[in-house]
Amino acid sequence: MKMAVIGGAGLLGSTSAFMAGLKGYLEEIKLIDIKENLVKNHVLDMGQAVYPSGTKISYGDYSDLADCGIILLTASMPERQVADRMEYLWDNMKLIKPICEKIKANCPGAVLINATNPVDIFNYIIWKLLGWDRSKILGFNGNDTYRLKWAVSKVTGKDFKDIGGFCIGEHGNGTVNLYDKMTCGGEKLDLTEEQIAQIETITKNFFIEFQSLNSGRTSGWCSAVNIEELIEAVATDSGKVLECSSVLLGEYGFDNVSFGVPVSVGSDGIKSYDMPSLTEEQRKRLEDITGAMKKTIEAIEL
């Protein structure tokens, strides 16, 4: 399978391409970006680095999308200091509409992995603009679940690799951590109220601390680790259950909205939805979050 990365010169696109290229399960990765000199620099440098894996790294444009089974969309306006990822909406809207027109014209059959913020809003918008089956549109929310497990490991001292569980909801400030479903070594993980409070503080404060550095840099390494996991699930048709922003049309009582839920991922995108049962409090939080997202979507002219 071949993959195209739109935004391949940027930190998120290039690091994700590198992680996937190292593993060798892709035949070719095509990097596409308006920064032609930088993306061609990545092609030369990355191509040498991943050469032993057998994955070819090449420079491409939208006319080269036709034979790609995966499109990774990481294009965005330059990073700036924001309090909430929603602030990227109007900046990135200028990019997403013309990009979707080019994708639709050149590559109608791929699985699209969207990592442009705000991910959940754009996931729904991209689905509307492309008119594809919703199973083909996967929004990258994996960092939320990853950071939940990271925080649980820090607070409890448990090995990260043994911790299971999911974070659902809107990427960023609208996450819902499913503490009652968490496991360690396959067994139920009971967390105290004090531990949960510490975990909430760690997960909520991460983005604030990250943004306060005013580095002009997005989360590259952590995002690449999680995006690569999603790419591999599609490329190998693994059926692995991962957190993705997914367009819902009645599932779990939510309609015409996209947010992070556990889904089984394969070569055609979403194989199945694997949402666990929710408590009344968890469902209420999701209803509040999705209500706010719908109002935002309604204000956008497509």
Side-chain angles (χ1 to χ4, degrees):
M1 186 178 287
K2 297 180 181 181
M3 177 176 75
V5 183
I6 300 173
L11 177 66
L12 190 54
S14 60
T15 51
S16 300
F18 179 65
M19 291 293 296
L22 281 176
K23 291 196 173 182
Y25 52 75
L26 291 169
E27 178 186 346
E28 183 178 0
I29 299 174
K30 304 178 184 184
L31 303 182
I32 300 171
D33 203 289
I34 59 172
K35 297 178 181 177
E36 187 175 330
N37 65 328
L38 181 52
V39 80
K40 286 183 175 179
N41 177 280
H42 284 324
V43 168
L44 290 172
D45 191 12
M46 194 186 306
Q48 289 182 351
V50 307
Y51 186 80
S53 75
T55 298
K56 178 184 177 183
I57 308 295
S58 64
Y59 168 74
D61 59 31
Y62 289 97
S63 64
D64 297 311
L65 294 178
D67 62 349
C68 292
I70 302 172
I71 298 173
L72 172 60
L73 176 56
T74 63
S76 67
M77 296 294 279
E79 288 289 317
R80 58 186 174 86
Q81 193 167 10
V82 297
D84 189 305
R85 292 173 180 85
M86 283 297 294
E87 294 183 42
Y88 292 122
L89 175 60
W90 305 113
D91 290 347
N92 288 334
M93 192 67 195
K94 300 168 188 173
L95 298 175
I96 294 303
K97 289 184 75 172
I99 286 174
C100 282
E101 290 172 4
K102 292 173 182 175
I103 292 172
K104 190 173 182 179
N106 290 284
C107 190
V111 172
L112 188 143
I113 300 171
N114 165 46
T116 299
N117 276 316
V119 165
D120 303 283
I121 298 293
F122 276 127
N123 218 53
Y124 186 85
I125 289 171
I126 289 167
W127 171 61
K128 283 291 189 179
L129 290 173
L130 291 179
W132 293 1
D133 189 301
R134 61 185 173 133
S135 65
K136 297 278 191 179
I137 315 294
L138 305 176
F140 170 63
N141 289 53
N143 277 1
D144 295 320
T145 288
Y146 185 94
R147 288 181 180 132
L148 169 61
K149 295 178 182 179
W150 165 73
V152 169
S153 177
K154 287 173 70 73
V155 169
T156 64
K158 305 287 186 183
D159 193 322
F160 179 96
K161 295 188 294 295
D162 293 333
I163 296 171
F166 283 96
C167 173
I168 61 173
E170 182 187 15
H171 180 50
N173 295 337
T175 55
V176 179
N177 296 331
L178 302 182
Y179 295 111
D180 57 318
K181 304 295 191 300
M182 299 207 73
T183 61
C184 183
E187 301 292 328
K188 189 177 187 306
L189 178 61
D190 292 315
L191 298 165
T192 66
E193 290 185 10
E194 181 181 357
Q195 287 175 321
I196 290 174
Q198 288 179 279
I199 294 162
E200 286 284 311
T201 298
I202 291 171
T203 55
K204 287 183 182 300
N205 287 349
F206 171 81
F207 188 69
I208 296 171
E209 181 180 356
F210 193 85
Q211 284 289 296
S212 70
L213 297 172
N214 200 22
S215 66
R217 181 184 182 277
T218 188
S219 170
W221 305 113
C222 184
S223 295
V225 166
N226 287 284
I227 289 175
E228 186 279 323
E229 191 174 26
L230 190 51
I231 294 167
E232 184 172 17
V234 177
T236 64
D237 195 27
S238 72
K240 189 170 185 177
V241 177
L242 299 166
E243 182 203 352
C244 296
S245 187
S246 311
V247 175
L248 302 180
L249 297 177
E251 288 83 7
Y252 326 115
F254 297 97
D255 190 44
N256 274 293
V257 71
S258 186
F259 61 82
V261 296
V263 294
S264 172
V265 179
S267 59
D268 290 324
I270 296 173
K271 287 176 170 285
S272 64
Y273 296 83
D274 293 273
M275 186 82 150
S277 59
L278 300 176
T279 66
E280 188 173 328
E281 180 183 355
Q282 290 164 348
R283 179 168 290 279
K284 177 63 169 61
R285 287 186 64 190
L286 278 181
E287 288 171 353
D288 292 343
I289 292 162
T290 56
M293 284 197 290
K294 281 188 173 185
K295 287 181 180 178
T296 301
I297 290 169
E298 287 168 3
I300 298 170
E301 295 184 9
L302 298 180

